Amino acid sequence: MQPLQYSCNNRKSEMLHIPLLGVALVLFLSLASPAISCKEEEKTSLFEFLNGLSQASGLTSSWQNDTNCCLWEGVICNVDGTVIDISLAAMGLEGHISPSLGNLNGLLKLNLSGNLLSGELPPKLLLSRSLTVLDVSFNKLSGEFHELQSTPDSAMKVMNISSNFLTGYFPSTTLEGMKNLAALNMSNNSFAGEIPSTVCVDKPFFVVLDLSYNQFIGRIPPELGNCSGLRVLKAGQNQLNGTLPAEIFNVTSLEHLSFPNNHLQGTLDPERVGKLRNLAILDLGWNGLNGKIPNSIGQLKRLEELHLDNNNMSGELPPALSSCSNLTTIILKDNNFQGDLKRVNFSTLSNLKFLDCRSNKFTGTIPESLYSCSNLIALRLSFNNLHGQFSSGINNLKSLRFLALAHNNFTNITNTLQILSKSRSLALVLIGGNFKHETMPDYDEFHGFENLMCLAINECPLYGKLPNWLAKLKNLRGLLLDNNKLSGPIPAWINSLNLLFYLDISNNNLTGDIPTALMEMPTLEAAHSDPIILKFPIYLTPFLQYRTTSGFPKMLNLGNNKFTGVIPPEIGQLQALLTLNLSFNNLHGEIPQSVGNLTNLQVLDLSYNNLTGAIPSALERLHFLSKFNISRNDLEGPVPTGGQFSTFPDSSFFGNPKLCSATLMRHCNSVDAAPVSVVSTEEYTDKVIFAMAFGMFFGVGVLYDQMVLFRYIYFV
């Protein structure tokens, strides 16, 4: 067939243009001014729904009794005046869903997602014979999901009840008659019991099943292998056990197979894995799988994401992984993989964006082929047995923003920093635990790291001083140089890092007074500034973890050094501080009253110094203080009882023989007891290890279209 040729002259096209516009205008007016009116009984049902809402400010102006309900916001009628579609997503609705909506016998689609609706889901909606799409996700619906007698001729195709507070067992009987069902999302509720074996019975159109984030137990039913058209199968974050049934690998239509955070065991069978030729996402992380990654993984040519993290898998990486040229994400952290990474030819993985092999037993050097992955955004190889020096080839990774190579056996920190500083894309660099007993380099001239936000060169231990080139990192938010052997004073340029709000230089040999320049850091002074949102959460090893993109806690950790002098009174200016640690130094004098201005403070550790005087009563204003330690000083007087002080253990005050309280060995008499305050904390031990997360990568997603997908990659 030949394509149409538009070779008419200008006059002909002008003649055709006017009539066509006229026809279009008539059609538009006829659609915009419908002559149809909704049925009174359906208007009544809609009003009953409205009356069941306690908050419906977005509807009251439109849903008026003296108007045509076919013109109401979110309501669509057909030519007969029958309501066929109600779409009220994210309208801020509160209250209950009225069963009256079940009286709309022509209703095809109902979308109430993203509101604050509570109470039970009306059974009449589930028994509707007309409804094809039901979406009540992201609400506050609760109660047990009761089994209902199925409707043989149900038209239901899509049912999304995810992200509520629903309980009960899988509604097998209710779903039995939904023979047209194509997608079922029950994720992020509190459903329990076993997954029934009849999920796919008489459902030839079934393509999506999402049971993630519930409390399902037992084994994965082999009968899921009968869902011959299934494309998405997700049941992560449950309590499933046993092995992956062999029958599931017969569902060759699968594109997304996800069972993370369960108790699955067994191995990946080489003969079965290769059958899933359409698979794009395989997520079996956080289970108890063992064995190797089979070489047949190379047959999955459409594979985009591979998540096998936090298992007990071992062996070398199969060279066939190089054949998965569509891979964007490889997460293998926290296993027992070993061998040389050079077995994989990364130059064929041009789409790779995220590679995480943290905490394994890989040896050798970083493969040069990895530097061909020009789209790589995040690379983490921390806690392995890699060695050698950094190659300048890493600068070929023009998109690389997050680099974590900590706790390996890399050498030559001078060369490393010269190479990495040339990157204009790097935002986070974590290379601590390497360069054993080398010297921190200082350069007469230094250019680079223009966009660096976090730098960690901790636990090496390095000799030398705090280098002057750090003063040029104007975008720096976090600096970790703890657990080295750095000496000398804190330089005065520290206050030139205007964005710095996380500083850990603990466990070094730093000397001198605490400079007043440190009290002039703008980001630590702004107690009520907008929160700084970063794309990586933080992990306070090993227990405190922040898994949302909420930003770092504002912290100043100078503990376990050789600082002398007094605590500067100007410290009260740092009103945004959450953690202040000055423990294990040689500080003397009194605790400044200005510490009471740090009203956001959660952790305060002044232990193991030579502080004297009373505990300032101003500290009773620190209402968020949860960890406090002033032990091993020479403080005196009564321990305050107001504010948070009644919550701190006696160990917070030990080693101050002149302190008194009702619980300490020295009791105060009524004359001595005056209102004073104290600070709490735990013994100084924790170190901070950073993490990072991406919105659409390294984590757990909840549904294809409705759920928000969070993928996390945390760095050490």
Side-chain angles (χ1 to χ4, degrees):
M1 180 181 291
Q2 296 295 320
L4 293 174
Q5 302 294 326
Y6 293 97
S7 57
C8 304
N9 57 36
N10 289 339
R11 184 179 178 187
K12 280 187 177 181
S13 45
E14 287 175 4
M15 293 173 63
L16 288 169
H17 188 58
I18 296 174
L20 286 173
L21 277 177
V23 172
L25 184 59
V26 170
L27 286 172
F28 176 78
L29 291 174
S30 64
L31 290 173
S33 305
I36 58 172
S37 296
C38 68
K39 301 174 181 178
E40 284 300 318
E41 61 272 17
E42 298 203 329
K43 179 188 285 190
T44 301
S45 296
L46 291 174
F47 262 118
E48 289 182 22
F49 166 69
L50 182 64
N51 292 333
L53 302 177
S54 58
Q55 176 58 255
S57 56
L59 297 182
T60 51
S61 59
S62 171
W63 288 36
Q64 298 291 327
N65 192 33
D66 56 349
T67 59
N68 180 2
C69 70
C70 290
L71 302 178
W72 290 356
E73 182 173 1
V75 178
I76 297 176
C77 300
N78 64 10
V79 293
D80 299 325
T82 300
V83 176
I84 59 172
D85 192 326
I86 300 177
S87 297
L88 300 173
M91 294 285 291
L93 305 180
E94 299 182 29
H96 299 277
I97 301 176
S98 172
S100 64
L101 293 180
N103 298 329
L104 302 175
N105 295 325
L107 187 63
L108 301 178
K109 298 179 181 179
L110 176 61
N111 186 353
L112 301 175
S113 63
N115 287 291
L116 297 170
L117 299 169
S118 56
E120 292 188 348
L121 180 64
K124 292 186 71 172
L125 292 177
L126 298 174
L127 297 175
S128 170
R129 298 187 176 184
S130 63
L131 205 57
T132 61
V133 177
L134 173 63
D135 189 350
V136 292
S137 60
F138 290 97
N139 277 287
K140 299 168 65 175
L141 300 178
S142 60
E144 188 170 346
F145 201 89
H146 297 289
E147 285 281 20
L148 304 170
Q149 190 61 41
S150 62
T151 304
D153 51 353
S154 171
M156 191 75 73
K157 294 180 180 179
V158 177
M159 185 162 68
N160 188 353
I161 56 176
S162 65
S163 298
N164 283 285
F165 302 104
L166 299 169
T167 60
Y169 297 104
F170 191 96
S172 303
T173 306
T174 305
L175 300 177
E176 193 175 291
M178 297 182 181
K179 302 185 185 302
N180 295 305
L181 195 63
L184 174 63
N185 185 5
M186 299 172 58
S187 65
N188 203 18
N189 281 286
S190 296
F191 291 111
E194 297 186 351
I195 301 174
S197 60
T198 57
V199 174
C200 300
V201 174
D202 292 330
K203 292 180 178 56
F205 309 110
F206 204 40
V207 293
V208 176
L209 176 62
D210 191 348
L211 305 177
S212 307
Y213 291 94
N214 280 288
Q215 299 171 23
F216 289 114
I217 62 172
R219 295 177 173 268
I220 302 171
E223 289 80 4
L224 287 177
N226 297 328
C227 306
S228 57
L230 204 61
R231 295 182 184 178
V232 177
L233 176 58
K234 301 171 64 176
Q237 287 73 34
N238 282 285
Q239 300 176 40
L240 302 173
N241 56 42
T243 61
L244 275 175
E247 291 80 358
I248 283 185
F249 294 93
N250 295 328
V251 186
T252 56
S253 58
L254 272 175
E255 299 173 7
H256 189 151
L257 179 61
S258 177
F259 284 92
N261 289 82
N262 281 288
H263 307 294
L264 302 180
Q265 297 178 339
T267 62
L268 293 178
D269 190 299
E271 296 182 3
R272 297 169 185 168
V273 169
K275 294 180 179 180
L276 302 180
R277 303 293 177 91
N278 291 298
L279 204 62
I281 298 176
L282 176 61
D283 189 353
L284 300 175
W286 294 86
N287 280 288
L289 302 179
N290 53 53
K292 301 178 179 180
I293 299 177
N295 215 43
S296 57
I297 196 82
Q299 299 175 31
L300 309 185
K301 306 297 185 183
R302 298 184 179 182
L303 192 64
E304 297 177 9
E305 296 186 23
L306 176 63
H307 301 262
L308 296 174
D309 50 300
N310 293 84
N311 281 288
N312 297 314
M313 302 187 72
S314 58
E316 298 180 315
L317 297 186
L321 196 60
S322 311
S323 301
C324 302
S325 57
N326 286 308
L327 274 171
T328 64
T329 303
I330 301 176
I331 312 295
L332 304 177
K333 68 180 182 67
D334 292 289
N335 278 286
N336 295 304
F337 293 118
Q338 61 191 39
D340 202 320
L341 288 171
K342 293 177 182 177
R343 288 173 54 85
V344 177
N345 181 9
F346 289 96
S347 62
T348 63
L349 306 181
S350 59
N351 296 307
L352 192 64
K353 294 182 178 180
F354 305 99
L355 175 62
D356 185 2
C357 295
R358 175 192 184 272
S359 293
N360 281 284
K361 299 176 181 177
F362 291 114
T363 55
T365 59
I366 299 175
E368 286 290 328
S369 65
L370 188 58
Y371 303 140
S372 300
C373 301
S374 58
N375 291 305
L376 198 64
I377 295 173
L379 172 62
R380 182 168 69 171
L381 302 175
S382 301
F383 289 95
N384 280 283
N385 296 312
L386 303 174
H387 66 270
Q389 297 187 22
F390 280 51
S391 164
S392 59
I394 199 169
N395 289 322
N396 296 330
L397 305 178
K398 303 299 184 184
S399 300
L400 189 66
R401 288 182 55 78
F402 305 98
L403 176 66
L405 302 174
H407 294 278
N408 282 283
N409 298 302
F410 295 115
T411 58
N412 199 341
I413 188 173
T414 302
N415 181 59
T416 296
L417 290 172
Q418 287 175 335
I419 291 173
L420 295 181
S421 64
K422 296 177 182 178
S423 171
R424 294 181 177 273
S425 60
L426 278 172
L428 179 135
V429 173
L430 303 176
I431 52 176
N434 292 290
F435 320 112
K436 302 297 184 183
H437 305 289
E438 295 185 21
T439 300
M440 175 71 78
D442 208 350
Y443 308 96
D444 294 332
E445 292 187 12
F446 185 86
H447 303 283
F449 284 141
E450 290 93 341
N451 295 301
L452 193 65
M453 292 194 296
C454 175
L455 176 63
I457 316 178
N458 54 336
E459 302 183 16
C460 292
L462 296 174
Y463 294 90
K465 298 181 178 181
L466 292 175
N468 291 323
W469 56 266
L470 289 173
K472 298 185 178 182
L473 308 185
K474 299 303 182 182
N475 284 308
L476 204 62
R477 271 79 162 169
L479 178 60
L480 288 85
L481 299 175
D482 58 280
N483 287 276
N484 284 293
K485 294 185 180 296
L486 301 175
S487 58
I490 298 175
W493 51 251
I494 192 71
N495 62 354
S496 68
L497 300 178
N498 292 334
L499 300 178
L500 188 68
F501 61 86
Y502 190 101
L503 177 63
D504 190 349
I505 52 176
S506 62
N507 288 287
N508 280 284
N509 296 315
L510 299 172
T511 57
D513 293 348
I514 297 175
T516 55
L518 198 57
M519 310 297 121
E520 299 168 355
M521 300 175 68
T523 313
L524 290 179
E525 293 177 347
H528 301 292
S529 62
D530 293 334
I532 298 175
I533 305 300
L534 302 176
K535 290 186 177 180
F536 37 94
I538 56 174
Y539 283 61
L540 300 183
T541 306
F543 304 115
L544 302 180
Q545 302 181 7
Y546 296 78
R547 284 191 162 270
T548 61
T549 52
S550 57
F552 295 172
K554 297 183 178 182
M555 187 183 85
L556 190 59
N557 190 348
L558 312 183
N560 204 14
N561 280 284
K562 298 178 180 179
F563 292 117
T564 55
V566 299
I567 301 175
E570 295 87 352
I571 200 166
Q573 299 170 184
L574 306 182
Q575 296 184 22
L577 267 182
L578 298 182
T579 297
L580 175 61
N581 190 342
L582 304 177
S583 64
F584 289 88
N585 282 288
N586 297 312
L587 303 174
H588 64 266
E590 297 185 349
I591 300 173
Q593 287 279 351
S594 60
V595 175
N597 297 333
L598 308 180
T599 53
N600 290 295
L601 207 60
Q602 298 175 7
V603 176
L604 177 59
D605 194 343
L606 305 177
S607 62
Y608 286 86
N609 281 286
N610 300 309
L611 301 175
T612 57
I615 301 171
S617 59
L619 298 189
E620 290 186 336
R621 299 199 299 265
L622 306 182
H623 298 296
F624 295 107
L625 200 61
S626 59
K627 298 179 182 179
F628 171 72
N629 195 348
I630 53 169
S631 62
R632 302 297 175 181
N633 282 285
D634 194 21
L635 298 167
E636 60 185 58
V639 173
T641 57
Q644 294 290 96
F645 284 100
S646 61
T647 67
F648 302 140
D650 290 347
S651 59
S652 296
F653 312 102
F654 283 171
N656 292 279
K658 299 175 186 177
L659 284 179
C660 60
S661 78
T663 59
L664 296 177
M665 293 185 65
R666 184 167 183 260
H667 296 272
C668 303
N669 59 38
S670 59
V671 177
D672 296 329
V676 185
S677 250
V678 187
V679 210
S680 99
T681 146
E682 58 192 350
E683 182 179 358
Y684 170 75
T685 48
D686 290 345
K687 307 180 301 281
V688 179
I689 294 178
F690 284 78
M692 80 174 236
F694 281 89
M696 299 292 289
F697 305 94
F698 296 163
V700 183
V702 197
L703 167 72
Y704 247 5
D705 53 350
Q706 297 290 339
M707 304 293 296
V708 178
L709 200 62
F710 286 107
R711 298 271 166 89
Y712 301 98
I713 178 171
Y714 51 90
F715 280 75
V716 173

